[in-house]
Amino acid sequence: MSTSTEETRGYDVIIVGGGPAGLSAALILGRCRRRVLVCDSGRYRNDAAVAMHGFLSRDGIAPPELRRLGREQLEPYGVEIRDVAVADVRRDAKRFEVTLEGGERLRSRKLLLATGLVDRLPDLPGLPAMYGTSVHHCPYCDGWEARDQPIGVYGQGCTGVALALNMKTWSDDVILFTDGPSSLSRADAARLARHGIGVREERIARLEGRDGVLERIVLEDGSAVERRSLFLKTKQEQGSELARKLRCKVTEERGVETAARHEETTCEGVFVAGDASKDVLLAIMAAAEGADAAFGVNCALQEEDLL
Ligand SMILES: Cc1cc2nc3c(=O)[nH]c(=O)nc-3n(C[C@H](O)[C@H](O)[C@H](O)COP(=O)(O)OP(=O)(O)OC[C@H]3O[C@@H](n4cnc5c(N)ncnc54)[C@H](O)[C@@H]3O)c2cc1C
């Protein structure tokens, strides 16, 4: 097929996002001989992490290395990758028009959003230097490394209680820090006590440690509690506004919602994969959802072309 015809036709699919979800989708779609473009703005959710755990055959790999391998394995399939942000997206009856940062406009038949989430961390002095090293949000990702050590949990209300109980799977020594009056119900307070979980209600002054490793949590009254790690639940926002621009249904609880099989959203022709649609927020799940969405995209294209 001539280049000019291809330019008129545009891409079969533009994938926005080059994390595990986007790269996994690109691999399947490349192997389906689709004309695929991956746009990657280079802002990955796990930027702060030194190692990624729980990914079969890649346990403990550095996140950039997983992405490097992912990109390398796309090469035989002619998948195009551009390190650029997608600034805007619009659709007409048949096509999507994607505007890249810088103004270039591209067209595609389908769109796959693998744009992830952004975590908002609590404003605790000392925390940023330890995030990803000894301050974590996910026990499944980092609980093993904190096993049998003194663990702190930061959280309020039932969220804090649930996370503190959760951490008992990894250590007997768990203390819940509520950073202010806990307002725990009697039942919750009794449940924590029954499982040997202490509660500290004083406000936190700062986290202290060395080389990213937490040593103690200093409270505003000057007392300090020795801890080796702190687990907390982050507030999460969508990694991009593209789904909302396209009027896909997006909720705080479920992220970009899927409305049909194989990760198609409420907006026909727009698929979503990975953390952007909130399920179990693990990299291997993101990769699996990428493969599922790729299957959906290819089936939709086949239906248009062949049926
Ligand atoms: C500190 C930390 C540690 C973690 N550790 C683990 C672990 O050990 N094991 C594990 O399984 N999971 C871990 N996770 C979770 C894991 O990082 C995510 O589940 C996974 O990265 C989700 O993949 P994704 O492809 O959906 O999103 P991401 O990896 O976040 O990728 C999002 C992609 O979208 C791109 N993007 C966003 N908007 C645009 C735009 N407008 N234009 C172009 N590109 C755009 C970004 O640049 C990026 O390429 C951790 C998370 C954090 C925060």
Side-chain angles (χ1 to χ4, degrees), residues 16-21 39-46 49 51-53 84-86 114-116 119 131 137 141 239-240 242 273-275 281-283 286:
V16 192
C39 296
D40 183 349
S41 63
R43 207 171 86 162
Y44 314 100
R45 183 168 172 230
N46 57 1
M52 200 186 76
H53 300 110
V84 65
V86 170
T115 41
D119 296 281
Y131 185 56
H137 72 279
C141 304
S240 91
L242 298 175
D275 284 5
L281 301 179
L282 290 175

PDB file of all heavy atoms in Angstrom, residues 16-21 39-46 49 51-53 84-86 114-116 119 131 137 141 239-240 242 273-275 281-283 286, ligand 1:
ATOM      1  N   VAL A  16      -2.779   5.662  23.615  1.00  0.00           N
ATOM      2  CA  VAL A  16      -2.228   6.757  24.422  1.00  0.00           C
ATOM      3  C   VAL A  16      -1.736   6.150  25.730  1.00  0.00           C
ATOM      4  O   VAL A  16      -2.527   5.678  26.550  1.00  0.00           O
ATOM      5  CB  VAL A  16      -3.279   7.850  24.699  1.00  0.00           C
ATOM      6  CG1 VAL A  16      -2.588   9.081  25.281  1.00  0.00           C
ATOM      7  CG2 VAL A  16      -4.030   8.221  23.436  1.00  0.00           C
ATOM      8  N   GLY A  17      -0.418   6.127  25.903  1.00  0.00           N
ATOM      9  CA  GLY A  17       0.169   5.547  27.116  1.00  0.00           C
ATOM     10  C   GLY A  17       1.133   4.433  26.780  1.00  0.00           C
ATOM     11  O   GLY A  17       0.804   3.536  26.002  1.00  0.00           O
ATOM     12  N   GLY A  18       2.336   4.536  27.347  1.00  0.00           N
ATOM     13  CA  GLY A  18       3.371   3.534  27.062  1.00  0.00           C
ATOM     14  C   GLY A  18       3.836   2.808  28.304  1.00  0.00           C
ATOM     15  O   GLY A  18       4.991   2.415  28.422  1.00  0.00           O
ATOM     16  N   GLY A  19       2.915   2.599  29.262  1.00  0.00           N
ATOM     17  CA  GLY A  19       3.207   1.756  30.423  1.00  0.00           C
ATOM     18  C   GLY A  19       2.888   0.304  30.080  1.00  0.00           C
ATOM     19  O   GLY A  19       2.706  -0.042  28.899  1.00  0.00           O
ATOM     20  N   PRO A  20       2.794  -0.567  31.097  1.00  0.00           N
ATOM     21  CA  PRO A  20       2.503  -1.986  30.822  1.00  0.00           C
ATOM     22  C   PRO A  20       1.227  -2.191  30.019  1.00  0.00           C
ATOM     23  O   PRO A  20       1.178  -3.065  29.142  1.00  0.00           O
ATOM     24  CB  PRO A  20       2.368  -2.606  32.215  1.00  0.00           C
ATOM     25  CG  PRO A  20       3.021  -1.660  33.152  1.00  0.00           C
ATOM     26  CD  PRO A  20       3.007  -0.300  32.525  1.00  0.00           C
ATOM     27  N   ALA A  21       0.188  -1.380  30.278  1.00  0.00           N
ATOM     28  CA  ALA A  21      -1.084  -1.568  29.563  1.00  0.00           C
ATOM     29  C   ALA A  21      -0.931  -1.228  28.091  1.00  0.00           C
ATOM     30  O   ALA A  21      -1.303  -2.012  27.206  1.00  0.00           O
ATOM     31  CB  ALA A  21      -2.177  -0.703  30.198  1.00  0.00           C
ATOM     32  N   CYS A  39       1.606   6.718  21.784  1.00  0.00           N
ATOM     33  CA  CYS A  39       2.089   8.037  22.237  1.00  0.00           C
ATOM     34  C   CYS A  39       2.354   7.944  23.735  1.00  0.00           C
ATOM     35  O   CYS A  39       1.482   7.515  24.499  1.00  0.00           O
ATOM     36  CB  CYS A  39       1.032   9.105  21.993  1.00  0.00           C
ATOM     37  SG  CYS A  39       0.687   9.335  20.251  1.00  0.00           S
ATOM     38  N   ASP A  40       3.535   8.345  24.129  1.00  0.00           N
ATOM     39  CA  ASP A  40       3.950   8.179  25.527  1.00  0.00           C
ATOM     40  C   ASP A  40       4.521   9.498  26.045  1.00  0.00           C
ATOM     41  O   ASP A  40       5.568   9.953  25.581  1.00  0.00           O
ATOM     42  CB  ASP A  40       5.007   7.059  25.590  1.00  0.00           C
ATOM     43  CG  ASP A  40       5.456   6.759  27.020  1.00  0.00           C
ATOM     44  OD1 ASP A  40       5.119   7.544  27.923  1.00  0.00           O
ATOM     45  OD2 ASP A  40       6.147   5.756  27.196  1.00  0.00           O
ATOM     46  N   SER A  41       3.836  10.093  27.026  1.00  0.00           N
ATOM     47  CA  SER A  41       4.301  11.381  27.571  1.00  0.00           C
ATOM     48  C   SER A  41       5.391  11.191  28.620  1.00  0.00           C
ATOM     49  O   SER A  41       5.914  12.179  29.150  1.00  0.00           O
ATOM     50  CB  SER A  41       3.120  12.152  28.169  1.00  0.00           C
ATOM     51  OG  SER A  41       2.578  11.420  29.246  1.00  0.00           O
ATOM     52  N   GLY A  42       5.726   9.934  28.937  1.00  0.00           N
ATOM     53  CA  GLY A  42       6.862   9.677  29.828  1.00  0.00           C
ATOM     54  C   GLY A  42       6.587   9.929  31.300  1.00  0.00           C
ATOM     55  O   GLY A  42       7.498  10.116  32.090  1.00  0.00           O
ATOM     56  N   ARG A  43       5.311   9.877  31.678  1.00  0.00           N
ATOM     57  CA  ARG A  43       4.967  10.073  33.097  1.00  0.00           C
ATOM     58  C   ARG A  43       4.290   8.806  33.609  1.00  0.00           C
ATOM     59  O   ARG A  43       3.098   8.610  33.396  1.00  0.00           O
ATOM     60  CB  ARG A  43       4.039  11.273  33.242  1.00  0.00           C
ATOM     61  CG  ARG A  43       4.166  11.908  34.612  1.00  0.00           C
ATOM     62  CD  ARG A  43       3.440  13.198  34.691  1.00  0.00           C
ATOM     63  NE  ARG A  43       2.044  12.981  35.028  1.00  0.00           N
ATOM     64  CZ  ARG A  43       1.245  13.925  35.493  1.00  0.00           C
ATOM     65  NH1 ARG A  43       1.673  15.134  35.636  1.00  0.00           N
ATOM     66  NH2 ARG A  43       0.000  13.666  35.778  1.00  0.00           N
ATOM     67  N   TYR A  44       5.084   7.960  34.238  1.00  0.00           N
ATOM     68  CA  TYR A  44       4.572   6.647  34.655  1.00  0.00           C
ATOM     69  C   TYR A  44       4.206   6.680  36.125  1.00  0.00           C
ATOM     70  O   TYR A  44       4.903   7.287  36.939  1.00  0.00           O
ATOM     71  CB  TYR A  44       5.625   5.567  34.392  1.00  0.00           C
ATOM     72  CG  TYR A  44       6.236   5.696  33.017  1.00  0.00           C
ATOM     73  CD1 TYR A  44       7.475   6.294  32.849  1.00  0.00           C
ATOM     74  CD2 TYR A  44       5.536   5.268  31.889  1.00  0.00           C
ATOM     75  CE1 TYR A  44       8.025   6.449  31.585  1.00  0.00           C
ATOM     76  CE2 TYR A  44       6.075   5.429  30.625  1.00  0.00           C
ATOM     77  CZ  TYR A  44       7.324   6.017  30.473  1.00  0.00           C
ATOM     78  OH  TYR A  44       7.854   6.183  29.232  1.00  0.00           O
ATOM     79  N   ARG A  45       3.163   5.941  36.473  1.00  0.00           N
ATOM     80  CA  ARG A  45       2.700   5.988  37.868  1.00  0.00           C
ATOM     81  C   ARG A  45       3.786   5.522  38.830  1.00  0.00           C
ATOM     82  O   ARG A  45       3.941   6.069  39.913  1.00  0.00           O
ATOM     83  CB  ARG A  45       1.445   5.113  38.004  1.00  0.00           C
ATOM     84  CG  ARG A  45       0.880   5.177  39.388  1.00  0.00           C
ATOM     85  CD  ARG A  45      -0.497   4.568  39.482  1.00  0.00           C
ATOM     86  NE  ARG A  45      -0.868   4.520  40.885  1.00  0.00           N
ATOM     87  CZ  ARG A  45      -1.327   3.460  41.498  1.00  0.00           C
ATOM     88  NH1 ARG A  45      -1.539   2.349  40.831  1.00  0.00           N
ATOM     89  NH2 ARG A  45      -1.600   3.496  42.786  1.00  0.00           N
ATOM     90  N   ASN A  46       4.538   4.496  38.427  1.00  0.00           N
ATOM     91  CA  ASN A  46       5.522   3.936  39.357  1.00  0.00           C
ATOM     92  C   ASN A  46       6.913   4.555  39.178  1.00  0.00           C
ATOM     93  O   ASN A  46       7.914   3.915  39.491  1.00  0.00           O
ATOM     94  CB  ASN A  46       5.583   2.411  39.226  1.00  0.00           C
ATOM     95  CG  ASN A  46       5.907   1.966  37.818  1.00  0.00           C
ATOM     96  OD1 ASN A  46       6.111   2.794  36.925  1.00  0.00           O
ATOM     97  ND2 ASN A  46       5.966   0.663  37.602  1.00  0.00           N
ATOM     98  N   ALA A  49       9.258   4.092  42.063  1.00  0.00           N
ATOM     99  CA  ALA A  49       9.608   2.741  42.528  1.00  0.00           C
ATOM    100  C   ALA A  49      10.962   2.299  41.973  1.00  0.00           C
ATOM    101  O   ALA A  49      11.265   2.550  40.806  1.00  0.00           O
ATOM    102  CB  ALA A  49       8.528   1.753  42.097  1.00  0.00           C
ATOM    103  N   ALA A  51      11.896  -0.991  42.218  1.00  0.00           N
ATOM    104  CA  ALA A  51      11.679  -2.361  41.731  1.00  0.00           C
ATOM    105  C   ALA A  51      10.188  -2.636  41.625  1.00  0.00           C
ATOM    106  O   ALA A  51       9.401  -2.100  42.399  1.00  0.00           O
ATOM    107  CB  ALA A  51      12.322  -3.364  42.682  1.00  0.00           C
ATOM    108  N   MET A  52       9.847  -3.461  40.661  1.00  0.00           N
ATOM    109  CA  MET A  52       8.448  -3.832  40.480  1.00  0.00           C
ATOM    110  C   MET A  52       8.274  -5.304  40.842  1.00  0.00           C
ATOM    111  O   MET A  52       8.984  -6.153  40.295  1.00  0.00           O
ATOM    112  CB  MET A  52       8.072  -3.610  39.021  1.00  0.00           C
ATOM    113  CG  MET A  52       6.598  -3.488  38.794  1.00  0.00           C
ATOM    114  SD  MET A  52       6.302  -3.421  37.041  1.00  0.00           S
ATOM    115  CE  MET A  52       6.521  -5.133  36.644  1.00  0.00           C
ATOM    116  N   HIS A  53       7.365  -5.561  41.758  1.00  0.00           N
ATOM    117  CA  HIS A  53       7.208  -6.943  42.235  1.00  0.00           C
ATOM    118  C   HIS A  53       5.903  -7.564  41.748  1.00  0.00           C
ATOM    119  O   HIS A  53       4.932  -6.862  41.462  1.00  0.00           O
ATOM    120  CB  HIS A  53       7.250  -6.957  43.766  1.00  0.00           C
ATOM    121  CG  HIS A  53       8.536  -6.430  44.310  1.00  0.00           C
ATOM    122  ND1 HIS A  53       8.626  -5.219  44.966  1.00  0.00           N
ATOM    123  CD2 HIS A  53       9.796  -6.926  44.250  1.00  0.00           C
ATOM    124  CE1 HIS A  53       9.886  -4.994  45.310  1.00  0.00           C
ATOM    125  NE2 HIS A  53      10.626  -6.008  44.882  1.00  0.00           N
ATOM    126  N   VAL A  84       5.699  11.577  23.128  1.00  0.00           N
ATOM    127  CA  VAL A  84       4.994  12.858  23.037  1.00  0.00           C
ATOM    128  C   VAL A  84       3.644  12.717  23.751  1.00  0.00           C
ATOM    129  O   VAL A  84       3.072  11.627  23.809  1.00  0.00           O
ATOM    130  CB  VAL A  84       4.794  13.244  21.543  1.00  0.00           C
ATOM    131  CG1 VAL A  84       3.877  12.270  20.837  1.00  0.00           C
ATOM    132  CG2 VAL A  84       4.272  14.655  21.397  1.00  0.00           C
ATOM    133  N   ALA A  85       3.181  13.828  24.293  1.00  0.00           N
ATOM    134  CA  ALA A  85       1.863  13.818  24.949  1.00  0.00           C
ATOM    135  C   ALA A  85       0.766  14.081  23.930  1.00  0.00           C
ATOM    136  O   ALA A  85       0.968  14.830  22.970  1.00  0.00           O
ATOM    137  CB  ALA A  85       1.815  14.881  26.033  1.00  0.00           C
ATOM    138  N   VAL A  86      -0.356  13.447  24.139  1.00  0.00           N
ATOM    139  CA  VAL A  86      -1.544  13.765  23.354  1.00  0.00           C
ATOM    140  C   VAL A  86      -2.251  14.912  24.070  1.00  0.00           C
ATOM    141  O   VAL A  86      -2.620  14.789  25.249  1.00  0.00           O
ATOM    142  CB  VAL A  86      -2.468  12.534  23.233  1.00  0.00           C
ATOM    143  CG1 VAL A  86      -3.813  12.928  22.641  1.00  0.00           C
ATOM    144  CG2 VAL A  86      -1.797  11.470  22.383  1.00  0.00           C
ATOM    145  N   ALA A 114      -4.564   4.225  27.669  1.00  0.00           N
ATOM    146  CA  ALA A 114      -3.812   3.478  28.695  1.00  0.00           C
ATOM    147  C   ALA A 114      -3.023   4.508  29.492  1.00  0.00           C
ATOM    148  O   ALA A 114      -1.809   4.415  29.649  1.00  0.00           O
ATOM    149  CB  ALA A 114      -2.904   2.453  28.033  1.00  0.00           C
ATOM    150  N   THR A 115      -3.751   5.505  29.962  1.00  0.00           N
ATOM    151  CA  THR A 115      -3.133   6.730  30.484  1.00  0.00           C
ATOM    152  C   THR A 115      -2.913   6.704  31.989  1.00  0.00           C
ATOM    153  O   THR A 115      -2.406   7.680  32.547  1.00  0.00           O
ATOM    154  CB  THR A 115      -4.008   7.944  30.101  1.00  0.00           C
ATOM    155  OG1 THR A 115      -5.385   7.588  30.269  1.00  0.00           O
ATOM    156  CG2 THR A 115      -3.803   8.331  28.658  1.00  0.00           C
ATOM    157  N   GLY A 116      -3.289   5.613  32.652  1.00  0.00           N
ATOM    158  CA  GLY A 116      -2.915   5.417  34.046  1.00  0.00           C
ATOM    159  C   GLY A 116      -3.538   6.393  35.023  1.00  0.00           C
ATOM    160  O   GLY A 116      -4.504   7.115  34.711  1.00  0.00           O
ATOM    161  N   ASP A 119      -1.003   9.559  41.624  1.00  0.00           N
ATOM    162  CA  ASP A 119      -1.252   9.489  43.072  1.00  0.00           C
ATOM    163  C   ASP A 119      -1.008  10.845  43.713  1.00  0.00           C
ATOM    164  O   ASP A 119      -0.006  11.497  43.420  1.00  0.00           O
ATOM    165  CB  ASP A 119      -0.310   8.464  43.712  1.00  0.00           C
ATOM    166  CG  ASP A 119      -0.583   7.066  43.208  1.00  0.00           C
ATOM    167  OD1 ASP A 119      -1.548   6.450  43.681  1.00  0.00           O
ATOM    168  OD2 ASP A 119       0.159   6.596  42.319  1.00  0.00           O
ATOM    169  N   TYR A 131       9.138   7.908  49.363  1.00  0.00           N
ATOM    170  CA  TYR A 131       8.075   7.257  48.602  1.00  0.00           C
ATOM    171  C   TYR A 131       8.679   6.317  47.561  1.00  0.00           C
ATOM    172  O   TYR A 131       9.561   6.698  46.791  1.00  0.00           O
ATOM    173  CB  TYR A 131       7.191   8.313  47.916  1.00  0.00           C
ATOM    174  CG  TYR A 131       5.998   7.709  47.222  1.00  0.00           C
ATOM    175  CD1 TYR A 131       5.099   6.920  47.919  1.00  0.00           C
ATOM    176  CD2 TYR A 131       5.776   7.921  45.864  1.00  0.00           C
ATOM    177  CE1 TYR A 131       4.004   6.346  47.294  1.00  0.00           C
ATOM    178  CE2 TYR A 131       4.675   7.364  45.226  1.00  0.00           C
ATOM    179  CZ  TYR A 131       3.796   6.574  45.945  1.00  0.00           C
ATOM    180  OH  TYR A 131       2.713   6.009  45.316  1.00  0.00           O
ATOM    181  N   HIS A 137       2.130   2.387  48.946  1.00  0.00           N
ATOM    182  CA  HIS A 137       0.669   2.399  49.009  1.00  0.00           C
ATOM    183  C   HIS A 137       0.088   1.002  48.815  1.00  0.00           C
ATOM    184  O   HIS A 137      -1.083   0.785  49.080  1.00  0.00           O
ATOM    185  CB  HIS A 137       0.097   3.341  47.938  1.00  0.00           C
ATOM    186  CG  HIS A 137       0.254   2.771  46.565  1.00  0.00           C
ATOM    187  ND1 HIS A 137       1.433   2.851  45.866  1.00  0.00           N
ATOM    188  CD2 HIS A 137      -0.611   2.070  45.803  1.00  0.00           C
ATOM    189  CE1 HIS A 137       1.278   2.223  44.715  1.00  0.00           C
ATOM    190  NE2 HIS A 137       0.060   1.748  44.653  1.00  0.00           N
ATOM    191  N   CYS A 141       2.485  -5.012  46.375  1.00  0.00           N
ATOM    192  CA  CYS A 141       3.711  -4.627  45.663  1.00  0.00           C
ATOM    193  C   CYS A 141       4.925  -4.664  46.595  1.00  0.00           C
ATOM    194  O   CYS A 141       6.018  -5.040  46.172  1.00  0.00           O
ATOM    195  CB  CYS A 141       3.582  -3.218  45.092  1.00  0.00           C
ATOM    196  SG  CYS A 141       2.163  -3.009  44.012  1.00  0.00           S
ATOM    197  N   GLY A 239      -4.803   9.953  34.875  1.00  0.00           N
ATOM    198  CA  GLY A 239      -3.548  10.435  34.301  1.00  0.00           C
ATOM    199  C   GLY A 239      -3.754  11.421  33.161  1.00  0.00           C
ATOM    200  O   GLY A 239      -2.823  12.128  32.777  1.00  0.00           O
ATOM    201  N   SER A 240      -4.961  11.452  32.598  1.00  0.00           N
ATOM    202  CA  SER A 240      -5.249  12.436  31.557  1.00  0.00           C
ATOM    203  C   SER A 240      -6.744  12.734  31.537  1.00  0.00           C
ATOM    204  O   SER A 240      -7.546  11.978  32.095  1.00  0.00           O
ATOM    205  CB  SER A 240      -4.808  11.920  30.178  1.00  0.00           C
ATOM    206  OG  SER A 240      -5.866  11.239  29.554  1.00  0.00           O
ATOM    207  N   LEU A 242      -8.400  12.924  28.738  1.00  0.00           N
ATOM    208  CA  LEU A 242      -8.888  12.564  27.393  1.00  0.00           C
ATOM    209  C   LEU A 242     -10.222  11.813  27.445  1.00  0.00           C
ATOM    210  O   LEU A 242     -11.102  12.047  26.621  1.00  0.00           O
ATOM    211  CB  LEU A 242      -7.825  11.741  26.662  1.00  0.00           C
ATOM    212  CG  LEU A 242      -6.489  12.469  26.417  1.00  0.00           C
ATOM    213  CD1 LEU A 242      -5.467  11.520  25.799  1.00  0.00           C
ATOM    214  CD2 LEU A 242      -6.690  13.691  25.527  1.00  0.00           C
ATOM    215  N   ALA A 273      -7.443   0.570  29.134  1.00  0.00           N
ATOM    216  CA  ALA A 273      -6.726  -0.545  29.764  1.00  0.00           C
ATOM    217  C   ALA A 273      -5.819  -0.010  30.855  1.00  0.00           C
ATOM    218  O   ALA A 273      -5.352   1.135  30.795  1.00  0.00           O
ATOM    219  CB  ALA A 273      -5.902  -1.295  28.723  1.00  0.00           C
ATOM    220  N   GLY A 274      -5.580  -0.857  31.847  1.00  0.00           N
ATOM    221  CA  GLY A 274      -4.643  -0.512  32.905  1.00  0.00           C
ATOM    222  C   GLY A 274      -5.302   0.264  34.028  1.00  0.00           C
ATOM    223  O   GLY A 274      -6.525   0.245  34.200  1.00  0.00           O
ATOM    224  N   ASP A 275      -4.489   0.993  34.776  1.00  0.00           N
ATOM    225  CA  ASP A 275      -4.971   1.668  35.987  1.00  0.00           C
ATOM    226  C   ASP A 275      -6.081   2.674  35.708  1.00  0.00           C
ATOM    227  O   ASP A 275      -6.869   2.976  36.609  1.00  0.00           O
ATOM    228  CB  ASP A 275      -3.809   2.410  36.667  1.00  0.00           C
ATOM    229  CG  ASP A 275      -2.880   1.463  37.425  1.00  0.00           C
ATOM    230  OD1 ASP A 275      -3.079   0.241  37.341  1.00  0.00           O
ATOM    231  OD2 ASP A 275      -1.955   1.965  38.093  1.00  0.00           O
ATOM    232  N   LEU A 281      -4.978  -2.773  40.906  1.00  0.00           N
ATOM    233  CA  LEU A 281      -4.005  -1.850  40.310  1.00  0.00           C
ATOM    234  C   LEU A 281      -2.589  -2.421  40.384  1.00  0.00           C
ATOM    235  O   LEU A 281      -1.738  -1.941  41.131  1.00  0.00           O
ATOM    236  CB  LEU A 281      -4.089  -0.481  40.989  1.00  0.00           C
ATOM    237  CG  LEU A 281      -5.464   0.193  40.892  1.00  0.00           C
ATOM    238  CD1 LEU A 281      -5.466   1.533  41.614  1.00  0.00           C
ATOM    239  CD2 LEU A 281      -5.914   0.354  39.451  1.00  0.00           C
ATOM    240  N   LEU A 282      -2.361  -3.454  39.609  1.00  0.00           N
ATOM    241  CA  LEU A 282      -1.039  -4.082  39.515  1.00  0.00           C
ATOM    242  C   LEU A 282      -0.605  -4.065  38.053  1.00  0.00           C
ATOM    243  O   LEU A 282      -1.445  -4.144  37.146  1.00  0.00           O
ATOM    244  CB  LEU A 282      -1.088  -5.535  39.996  1.00  0.00           C
ATOM    245  CG  LEU A 282      -1.303  -5.762  41.495  1.00  0.00           C
ATOM    246  CD1 LEU A 282      -1.456  -7.249  41.775  1.00  0.00           C
ATOM    247  CD2 LEU A 282      -0.161  -5.181  42.310  1.00  0.00           C
ATOM    248  N   ALA A 283       0.717  -4.036  37.857  1.00  0.00           N
ATOM    249  CA  ALA A 283       1.233  -3.936  36.491  1.00  0.00           C
ATOM    250  C   ALA A 283       0.818  -5.131  35.638  1.00  0.00           C
ATOM    251  O   ALA A 283       0.509  -4.978  34.446  1.00  0.00           O
ATOM    252  CB  ALA A 283       2.750  -3.807  36.524  1.00  0.00           C
ATOM    253  N   ALA A 286      -2.570  -4.599  34.459  1.00  0.00           N
ATOM    254  CA  ALA A 286      -2.592  -3.577  33.405  1.00  0.00           C
ATOM    255  C   ALA A 286      -2.204  -4.208  32.071  1.00  0.00           C
ATOM    256  O   ALA A 286      -2.836  -3.959  31.035  1.00  0.00           O
ATOM    257  CB  ALA A 286      -1.637  -2.434  33.761  1.00  0.00           C
TER     258      ALA A 286
HETATM  259  C1  LIG B   1       5.323   3.722  43.888  1.00  0.00           C
HETATM  260  C2  LIG B   1       4.603   2.625  43.127  1.00  0.00           C
HETATM  261  C3  LIG B   1       5.077   1.326  43.173  1.00  0.00           C
HETATM  262  C4  LIG B   1       4.412   0.325  42.487  1.00  0.00           C
HETATM  263  N1  LIG B   1       4.906  -0.951  42.576  1.00  0.00           N
HETATM  264  C5  LIG B   1       4.282  -1.923  41.906  1.00  0.00           C
HETATM  265  C6  LIG B   1       4.772  -3.273  41.993  1.00  0.00           C
HETATM  266  O1  LIG B   1       5.769  -3.547  42.680  1.00  0.00           O
HETATM  267  N2  LIG B   1       4.110  -4.235  41.294  1.00  0.00           N
HETATM  268  C7  LIG B   1       3.004  -3.960  40.537  1.00  0.00           C
HETATM  269  O2  LIG B   1       2.457  -4.863  39.927  1.00  0.00           O
HETATM  270  N3  LIG B   1       2.520  -2.704  40.454  1.00  0.00           N
HETATM  271  C8  LIG B   1       3.122  -1.697  41.122  1.00  0.00           C
HETATM  272  N4  LIG B   1       2.622  -0.429  41.048  1.00  0.00           N
HETATM  273  C9  LIG B   1       1.417  -0.188  40.229  1.00  0.00           C
HETATM  274  C10 LIG B   1       1.833  -0.100  38.748  1.00  0.00           C
HETATM  275  O3  LIG B   1       2.807   0.912  38.620  1.00  0.00           O
HETATM  276  C11 LIG B   1       0.630   0.212  37.886  1.00  0.00           C
HETATM  277  O4  LIG B   1      -0.382  -0.741  38.126  1.00  0.00           O
HETATM  278  C12 LIG B   1       0.997   0.191  36.412  1.00  0.00           C
HETATM  279  O5  LIG B   1       2.046   1.076  36.139  1.00  0.00           O
HETATM  280  C13 LIG B   1      -0.208   0.550  35.565  1.00  0.00           C
HETATM  281  O6  LIG B   1       0.168   0.550  34.222  1.00  0.00           O
HETATM  282  P1  LIG B   1      -0.547   1.517  33.189  1.00  0.00           P
HETATM  283  O7  LIG B   1       0.068   1.173  31.886  1.00  0.00           O
HETATM  284  O8  LIG B   1      -2.013   1.459  33.359  1.00  0.00           O
HETATM  285  O9  LIG B   1      -0.139   3.004  33.655  1.00  0.00           O
HETATM  286  P2  LIG B   1       1.317   3.739  33.742  1.00  0.00           P
HETATM  287  O10 LIG B   1       2.408   2.748  33.907  1.00  0.00           O
HETATM  288  O11 LIG B   1       1.153   4.758  34.800  1.00  0.00           O
HETATM  289  O12 LIG B   1       1.442   4.406  32.329  1.00  0.00           O
HETATM  290  C14 LIG B   1       0.620   5.492  31.959  1.00  0.00           C
HETATM  291  C15 LIG B   1       1.103   5.960  30.613  1.00  0.00           C
HETATM  292  O13 LIG B   1       0.209   6.936  30.074  1.00  0.00           O
HETATM  293  C16 LIG B   1       0.979   8.013  29.568  1.00  0.00           C
HETATM  294  N5  LIG B   1       0.116   9.180  29.411  1.00  0.00           N
HETATM  295  C17 LIG B   1      -0.777   9.725  30.283  1.00  0.00           C
HETATM  296  N6  LIG B   1      -1.407  10.766  29.702  1.00  0.00           N
HETATM  297  C18 LIG B   1      -0.897  10.880  28.460  1.00  0.00           C
HETATM  298  C19 LIG B   1      -1.125  11.766  27.381  1.00  0.00           C
HETATM  299  N7  LIG B   1      -2.034  12.752  27.446  1.00  0.00           N
HETATM  300  N8  LIG B   1      -0.429  11.602  26.241  1.00  0.00           N
HETATM  301  C20 LIG B   1       0.490  10.606  26.120  1.00  0.00           C
HETATM  302  N9  LIG B   1       0.753   9.738  27.109  1.00  0.00           N
HETATM  303  C21 LIG B   1       0.064   9.873  28.263  1.00  0.00           C
HETATM  304  C22 LIG B   1       2.138   8.127  30.550  1.00  0.00           C
HETATM  305  O14 LIG B   1       3.192   8.897  30.060  1.00  0.00           O
HETATM  306  C23 LIG B   1       2.484   6.645  30.659  1.00  0.00           C
HETATM  307  O15 LIG B   1       3.216   6.247  29.519  1.00  0.00           O
HETATM  308  C24 LIG B   1       3.246   0.606  41.740  1.00  0.00           C
HETATM  309  C25 LIG B   1       2.763   1.920  41.698  1.00  0.00           C
HETATM  310  C26 LIG B   1       3.422   2.927  42.388  1.00  0.00           C
HETATM  311  C27 LIG B   1       2.856   4.318  42.370  1.00  0.00           C
END
